[in-house]
Amino acid sequence: MLTISDLAPETIKELLNDADAFANGKISKAKSEIFVSNLFYENSTRTKTSFDIAERKLGLQVVPFDVSTSSVNKGESLYDTVKTLEALGVNLVVIRHFQDAYYKELESIDLPVINGGDGKGSHPTQTVLDLLTIYQEFGKFEGLKIGIVGDVKHSRVANSNAEALRKLGAKVYFSGPSEWFDEGAIINGTFVALDDLVKEVDVLILLRIQHERHGEKMQISLGKYHKKYGLTKEREKAMKPEAIIMHPAPINRGVEIDSDLVECERSRIFKAMENGVFARMAILKHALESKGFEFE
Amino acid sequence: MLTISDLAPETIKELLNDADAFANGKISKAKSEIFVSNLFYENSTRTKTSFDIAERKLGLQVVPFDVSTSSVNKGESLYDTVKTLEALGVNLVVIRHFQDAYYKELESIDLPVINGGDGKGSHPTQTVLDLLTIYQEFGKFEGLKIGIVGDVKHSRVANSNAEALRKLGAKVYFSGPSEWFDEGAIINGTFVALDDLVKEVDVLILLRIQHERHGEKMQISLGKYHKKYGLTKEREKAMKPEAIIMHPAPINRGVEIDSDLVECERSRIFKAMENGVFARMAILKHALESKGFEFE
Amino acid sequence: MLTISDLAPETIKELLNDADAFANGKISKAKSEIFVSNLFYENSTRTKTSFDIAERKLGLQVVPFDVSTSSVNKGESLYDTVKTLEALGVNLVVIRHFQDAYYKELESIDLPVINGGDGKGSHPTQTVLDLLTIYQEFGKFEGLKIGIVGDVKHSRVANSNAEALRKLGAKVYFSGPSEWFDEGAIINGTFVALDDLVKEVDVLILLRIQHERHGEKMQISLGKYHKKYGLTKEREKAMKPEAIIMHPAPINRGVEIDSDLVECERSRIFKAMENGVFARMAILKHALESKGFEFE
């Protein structure tokens, strides 16, 4: 599972059903000894930890891999690293890497690779958990209006989510600083002013400012950003009664969202994290079953 | 379990009895799948590893958490980090943090937190293992004379231990460089010159010089420190026959204690480390049982 | 197991037989709870991960140890660190350390230590896996001609392998830049020009240039090194039909070996990594059984 484009809508729905079953308490354990490893070349709490927990819940053996003490420091390439883990008996790897589409150099390797985020590319497992959270809320995607706000240019979440949501029948709108849009990337996306957007959408997805990917210094102060492009208490009040708020986190509190709204009634921010474990269990199981491994 | 002040003497005695049972070979395993995570924002070998082993001995699932590769590097707060782990299904966290009383910002979180050391604050699990070591030796606390020597100002061990020992009926004395005393912190403490102290005490607890917490350069050479405030061979000879030596380690050999004395007959330094695993087993079990988890 | 010199030829053969049984699917699990820890003071992917997997395959409990967040940063010595782990209940440690013969300072500790590489000293578990790979290929060592090429001076693999291979009846030849030879270390070694060597040997072991151990700047460009001392496509064609290629990896592709040859038909580079897990299972089991632990 490398990008969300790889998945047909039927496969996405199957994953959502499996994930929802896990959310409702279903237990599934590997029938044989399976070794997996999580290769995170970028910092992560949520994605890495939720894979770690999902793997343990499925009864998999998690082999630690720490980039900072690996032979990556002796100049070993990603290809040779993954090929090595395969030779050592690892059955699946999860990779987060700062390079867009890093997985292309791994094409000749037979080992299943789950993409935990590639540069500014995609973040398909985040999309599945976001979809699950929306699906649990509304029971459908057709006709839903989804707003994605903020640092679209540097966000792999924006790209993956927009693509999947459209594929499943939702309408996707964007807002935020216009200079952070990359026209090529957001095909068919409609730009809407934030104050209009908040009144219309069923789901408002706020994106983190990716400070670490902004080469140039930001042209706007964080306080100003919050007033112009953040979810303030005023804007939250303008939202439809049943509309929900999401954010892939980590959150810059008081910037993308007023700190008091992070745990407000319509926030599904922590709910989505919870779903992250169930979504990844479904994805891991799916990938391993496709290689002949069995679960009970 | 955040500070030793939280614990009534009866609870302390209960923990000591449980820990002593583990020291005598008792085995206890969780009846259900329990996820725990150890968040160490400061370096540690003993405390972290003994939690890691205690958790595995209790049959818990240990979810790795590495501060240096987490979203802490994207500016995520301790509150949001712990809240995230809770959302992901972690059932208990152990935290060591450089900030005094870091746990105050976590008060609204329902997840049990065990304090593995907070800044210059307290280190309650170290206290329980020290108490266990003393209790195994003397079978009581009432009337015992305990000397705590050294870097009292920067030591969370000194504070936690002194408080608990007094609560349980022991008499606590302090020694070391007078400029390293913080009068507010050591209420009712009696300062005694080291050469007098060593002759009187049943237990001599030597503290590590916390080089990393001394902002200013130390005014005294390490060799001079050893002569004036360290346990030299001469001072060891002056101790009572049954008196024991303790040190929370890591040890600056030849500074707080003559290197040859580290493993001498009256040293309980490594014995106390061994007890660290049993003490933490008792504490973890206690905290998890209070949340309804069962052990066999 | 500290150096290959510690092992009698019979013990080596016993380990190879056990390892080969694991390679053929034999399963062996510890009968009791056994705690092990891997202390890697130098970077490693292959050795560390293969120990991690071998330990899990044997049903051992692996206690994480991260040098960078341990009390090593508070100046704790290797002796005190290992003594601490022993006190905490760890039953065996694997150590890789940058200091030659680091294990000498651990002599008084009762805990079994497996050497995962010491400075420019030895790397005995790598030798066992190399021997296993050769044994699987030829069914014997007597009379085999082995060529070791490259950075012999800085290679612990060269020293350990040459010693063991001679002990078992093989003939060992060396090649590479003459200034990288340390006459003292390579007793009885015969230096042969590379173009002659490749035609003669049954096994060609290429060594990685240990850039991190070359204090001085290398006097030769990497391209020139490849032409003069690397395995080029031309040299590979001159090899005997049944001869195999090995490299302890990580590989500097295009330097020690043409990148296209890394996965060529006569390469056993990834096969040897696979064997690394089986060799380490045999070594761990052997060390633990000698301390009275049982396996089923």
Side-chain angles (χ1 to χ4, degrees):
Chain A
M1 183 167 180
L2 300 174
T3 71
I4 207 72
S5 323
D6 303 340
L7 298 180
E10 301 73 47
T11 314
I12 294 178
K13 282 176 186 168
E14 207 181 295
L15 288 172
L16 293 180
N17 283 333
D18 284 0
D20 201 40
F22 288 129
N24 289 316
K26 189 190 159 187
I27 289 171
S28 196
K29 298 275 180 192
K31 283 189 179 174
S32 57
E33 204 164 52
I34 301 176
F35 291 90
V36 298
S37 197
N38 303 312
L39 282 63
F40 277 66
Y41 287 75
E42 287 191 322
N43 295 330
S44 167
T45 292
R46 259 155 301 279
T47 308
K48 175 151 189 320
T49 308
S50 68
F51 268 112
D52 263 324
I53 293 178
E55 289 155 357
R56 282 167 171 80
K57 286 201 170 192
L58 290 172
L60 311 179
Q61 295 272 5
V62 187
V63 179
F65 184 86
D66 180 353
V67 170
S68 74
T69 59
S70 73
S71 289
V72 169
N73 295 316
K74 300 178 190 164
E76 193 161 37
S77 69
L78 182 62
Y79 175 88
D80 281 340
T81 301
V82 173
K83 189 84 188 161
T84 293
L85 293 175
E86 184 189 38
L88 296 178
V90 169
N91 302 112
L92 177 148
V93 289
V94 177
I95 303 178
R96 166 170 292 188
H97 202 281
F98 45 80
Q99 192 192 307
D100 290 17
Y102 67 79
Y103 43 80
K104 283 189 183 159
E105 70 171 283
L106 305 178
E107 272 166 1
S108 67
I109 297 180
D110 192 42
L111 197 68
V113 174
I114 294 179
N115 183 5
D118 63 292
K120 301 187 298 292
S122 54
H123 192 353
T125 67
Q126 174 75 35
T127 296
V128 177
L129 75 90
D130 285 336
L131 294 176
L132 177 61
T133 308
I134 294 168
Y135 188 71
Q136 284 174 346
E137 201 69 32
F138 299 99
K140 59 160 190 177
F141 296 100
E142 293 76 12
L144 287 184
K145 290 181 180 171
I146 318 279
I148 301 181
V149 180
D151 193 357
V152 176
K153 191 175 180 178
H154 297 93
S155 171
R156 46 197 175 206
V157 175
N159 294 328
S160 296
N161 280 15
E163 186 184 340
L165 284 161
R166 274 194 219 103
K167 205 186 275 189
L168 293 163
K171 283 180 188 161
V172 181
Y173 306 89
F174 293 96
S175 196
S178 56
E179 66 271 30
W180 287 357
F181 284 82
D182 176 341
E183 306 219 354
I186 302 159
I187 301 151
N188 303 324
T190 313
F191 184 89
V192 178
L194 185 56
D195 289 311
D196 298 329
L197 186 72
V198 292
K199 296 176 194 157
E200 287 296 324
V201 293
D202 302 294
V203 179
L204 190 67
I205 301 177
L206 305 165
L207 301 174
R208 189 174 72 87
I209 303 180
Q210 309 264 325
H211 293 296
E212 67 276 23
R213 296 186 203 275
H214 283 269
E216 80 280 24
K217 231 180 123 57
M218 270 179 64
Q219 296 297 316
I220 185 174
S221 77
L222 296 181
K224 262 194 185 157
Y225 183 94
H226 183 59
K227 272 186 202 152
K228 283 188 79 170
Y229 307 113
L231 186 65
T232 58
K233 282 176 181 145
E234 290 67 36
R235 290 194 182 106
E236 187 271 337
K237 278 180 198 137
M239 290 176 73
K240 293 197 286 186
E242 74 286 6
I244 62 170
I245 301 165
M246 296 174 71
H247 186 301
I251 300 159
N252 298 306
R253 282 169 179 263
V255 183
E256 299 109 32
I257 181 170
D258 185 291
S259 188
D260 290 344
L261 297 177
V262 172
E263 295 177 55
C264 76
E265 213 183 324
R266 62 166 96 242
S267 164
R268 296 296 176 274
I269 296 175
F270 288 104
K271 177 74 182 169
M273 294 181 201
E274 208 182 313
N275 281 332
V277 173
F278 307 128
R280 279 151 190 145
M281 287 174 77
I283 291 163
L284 287 161
K285 184 163 173 274
H286 186 263
L288 287 164
E289 283 177 341
S290 76
K291 290 286 170 180
F293 292 102
E294 292 180 6
F295 288 79
E296 60 191 20
Chain B
M1 184 167 179
L2 300 174
T3 71
I4 207 73
S5 323
D6 303 339
L7 298 180
E10 301 73 49
T11 314
I12 294 178
K13 283 177 185 168
E14 208 181 293
L15 288 172
L16 294 180
N17 283 332
D18 284 0
D20 201 40
F22 289 129
N24 289 315
K26 191 189 157 187
I27 289 170
S28 196
K29 298 275 178 190
K31 282 189 181 174
S32 57
E33 204 163 52
I34 301 175
F35 291 91
V36 299
S37 198
N38 304 313
L39 282 62
F40 277 66
Y41 287 75
E42 288 191 321
N43 295 330
S44 168
T45 293
R46 260 154 300 280
T47 308
K48 175 151 189 321
T49 308
S50 67
F51 269 112
D52 263 323
I53 293 177
E55 289 155 358
R56 283 167 171 79
K57 286 201 171 192
L58 290 170
L60 311 178
Q61 295 273 4
V62 186
V63 180
F65 183 86
D66 180 353
V67 170
S68 74
T69 58
S70 73
S71 289
V72 169
N73 295 316
K74 299 177 189 164
E76 192 161 37
S77 69
L78 182 62
Y79 176 88
D80 281 341
T81 301
V82 174
K83 190 84 188 160
T84 294
L85 293 175
E86 184 188 37
L88 297 178
V90 170
N91 303 112
L92 178 149
V93 289
V94 177
I95 303 179
R96 165 169 292 188
H97 201 282
F98 44 82
Q99 191 191 306
D100 289 16
Y102 67 79
Y103 42 81
K104 284 189 181 158
E105 71 171 282
L106 305 178
E107 272 167 2
S108 68
I109 298 179
D110 193 41
L111 196 68
V113 175
I114 294 178
N115 183 5
D118 64 293
K120 301 186 299 290
S122 54
H123 192 354
T125 67
Q126 174 75 35
T127 296
V128 177
L129 76 89
D130 285 337
L131 294 176
L132 177 62
T133 307
I134 296 169
Y135 188 71
Q136 284 174 346
E137 200 70 31
F138 299 99
K140 59 161 191 176
F141 297 100
E142 293 78 12
L144 286 183
K145 290 181 181 171
I146 317 280
I148 301 181
V149 180
D151 193 356
V152 176
K153 190 174 181 179
H154 298 93
S155 170
R156 47 199 175 206
V157 174
N159 294 329
S160 296
N161 280 15
E163 186 183 339
L165 284 161
R166 275 194 219 103
K167 206 187 271 188
L168 293 163
K171 284 179 189 163
V172 181
Y173 305 89
F174 293 97
S175 197
S178 56
E179 64 271 31
W180 286 356
F181 283 81
D182 176 341
E183 305 218 355
I186 303 160
I187 303 151
N188 302 325
T190 313
F191 184 89
V192 178
L194 185 56
D195 289 312
D196 297 330
L197 185 72
V198 293
K199 295 175 196 158
E200 288 296 324
V201 294
D202 301 295
V203 179
L204 189 67
I205 301 177
L206 304 166
L207 301 174
R208 191 174 72 88
I209 303 179
Q210 309 263 325
H211 293 295
E212 66 277 23
R213 296 185 203 276
H214 283 269
E216 77 281 26
K217 229 179 123 61
M218 270 179 62
Q219 296 298 316
I220 184 174
S221 77
L222 296 181
K224 262 195 187 158
Y225 182 94
H226 183 60
K227 272 185 203 151
K228 283 188 81 171
Y229 307 114
L231 186 65
T232 57
K233 282 177 182 146
E234 290 66 37
R235 288 191 183 109
E236 188 271 336
K237 278 180 198 138
M239 290 175 75
K240 292 198 285 186
E242 74 285 8
I244 61 171
I245 301 165
M246 296 174 69
H247 186 302
I251 301 158
N252 299 305
R253 282 170 180 263
V255 182
E256 299 109 33
I257 181 170
D258 185 291
S259 188
D260 291 344
L261 298 176
V262 171
E263 294 176 57
C264 75
E265 213 184 323
R266 61 165 97 242
S267 164
R268 295 297 176 273
I269 296 176
F270 287 103
K271 177 74 183 169
M273 293 181 201
E274 208 183 312
N275 280 332
V277 173
F278 307 127
R280 280 150 190 146
M281 287 174 78
I283 292 163
L284 287 161
K285 184 163 172 273
H286 186 263
L288 288 164
E289 283 177 340
S290 76
K291 292 285 170 182
F293 291 103
E294 292 180 6
F295 288 79
E296 58 192 23
Chain C
M1 184 166 179
L2 301 175
T3 71
I4 207 73
S5 323
D6 302 341
L7 298 180
E10 299 73 49
T11 314
I12 294 177
K13 282 175 185 169
E14 208 182 293
L15 288 172
L16 294 180
N17 283 333
D18 284 0
D20 201 40
F22 288 130
N24 288 315
K26 190 189 158 188
I27 289 170
S28 196
K29 298 276 179 190
K31 282 190 180 173
S32 57
E33 205 164 52
I34 301 174
F35 291 91
V36 298
S37 197
N38 303 313
L39 282 63
F40 276 66
Y41 287 75
E42 288 191 321
N43 295 330
S44 168
T45 292
R46 259 155 300 280
T47 307
K48 175 152 188 321
T49 309
S50 68
F51 269 112
D52 263 324
I53 293 178
E55 289 154 358
R56 283 167 171 80
K57 286 202 169 191
L58 290 171
L60 311 179
Q61 295 271 4
V62 187
V63 180
F65 184 86
D66 181 353
V67 170
S68 75
T69 59
S70 73
S71 289
V72 169
N73 296 315
K74 300 177 188 164
E76 192 161 37
S77 69
L78 182 63
Y79 176 88
D80 281 342
T81 300
V82 174
K83 190 82 189 161
T84 294
L85 293 175
E86 183 188 38
L88 297 178
V90 170
N91 302 112
L92 177 148
V93 290
V94 176
I95 302 179
R96 165 169 293 189
H97 201 282
F98 46 81
Q99 192 191 306
D100 290 16
Y102 66 79
Y103 43 81
K104 283 190 182 159
E105 70 171 283
L106 306 178
E107 271 166 4
S108 68
I109 298 180
D110 193 41
L111 197 67
V113 174
I114 294 178
N115 183 5
D118 63 293
K120 301 188 297 293
S122 53
H123 193 352
T125 68
Q126 174 75 36
T127 296
V128 177
L129 76 89
D130 285 336
L131 294 176
L132 177 61
T133 308
I134 295 169
Y135 188 71
Q136 285 175 345
E137 200 69 32
F138 300 99
K140 59 162 190 174
F141 296 100
E142 293 78 11
L144 287 183
K145 290 181 182 172
I146 318 280
I148 301 181
V149 180
D151 193 356
V152 176
K153 191 175 181 177
H154 297 93
S155 171
R156 46 198 176 207
V157 174
N159 294 328
S160 296
N161 280 15
E163 186 183 340
L165 284 162
R166 275 194 218 102
K167 207 186 272 188
L168 293 163
K171 284 179 190 163
V172 181
Y173 306 90
F174 294 97
S175 196
S178 56
E179 65 271 29
W180 287 356
F181 283 82
D182 177 341
E183 305 218 356
I186 303 160
I187 302 152
N188 304 325
T190 313
F191 184 89
V192 178
L194 186 55
D195 288 311
D196 297 330
L197 187 72
V198 293
K199 296 177 196 158
E200 287 296 323
V201 294
D202 302 294
V203 179
L204 189 68
I205 302 178
L206 305 166
L207 301 174
R208 189 173 74 86
I209 303 181
Q210 308 264 326
H211 294 296
E212 66 276 24
R213 295 186 205 276
H214 282 269
E216 79 281 26
K217 230 180 123 57
M218 269 178 64
Q219 296 298 317
I220 184 173
S221 78
L222 297 181
K224 261 195 187 158
Y225 182 93
H226 184 59
K227 273 186 204 153
K228 282 189 79 170
Y229 307 114
L231 187 65
T232 58
K233 282 177 182 147
E234 289 67 36
R235 289 194 182 109
E236 188 270 336
K237 278 180 200 140
M239 290 175 74
K240 292 198 285 186
E242 75 286 7
I244 62 171
I245 301 165
M246 297 174 70
H247 186 302
I251 300 158
N252 298 306
R253 281 171 181 264
V255 182
E256 297 109 33
I257 181 170
D258 185 291
S259 189
D260 291 344
L261 296 178
V262 171
E263 295 177 54
C264 75
E265 213 183 323
R266 61 166 96 242
S267 164
R268 295 298 176 274
I269 296 176
F270 287 104
K271 178 73 182 171
M273 293 181 201
E274 208 182 314
N275 280 332
V277 173
F278 307 128
R280 278 147 190 148
M281 288 174 78
I283 292 164
L284 287 160
K285 184 163 173 274
H286 186 263
L288 288 163
E289 283 177 340
S290 76
K291 290 285 171 182
F293 291 103
E294 292 179 7
F295 289 78
E296 60 192 19

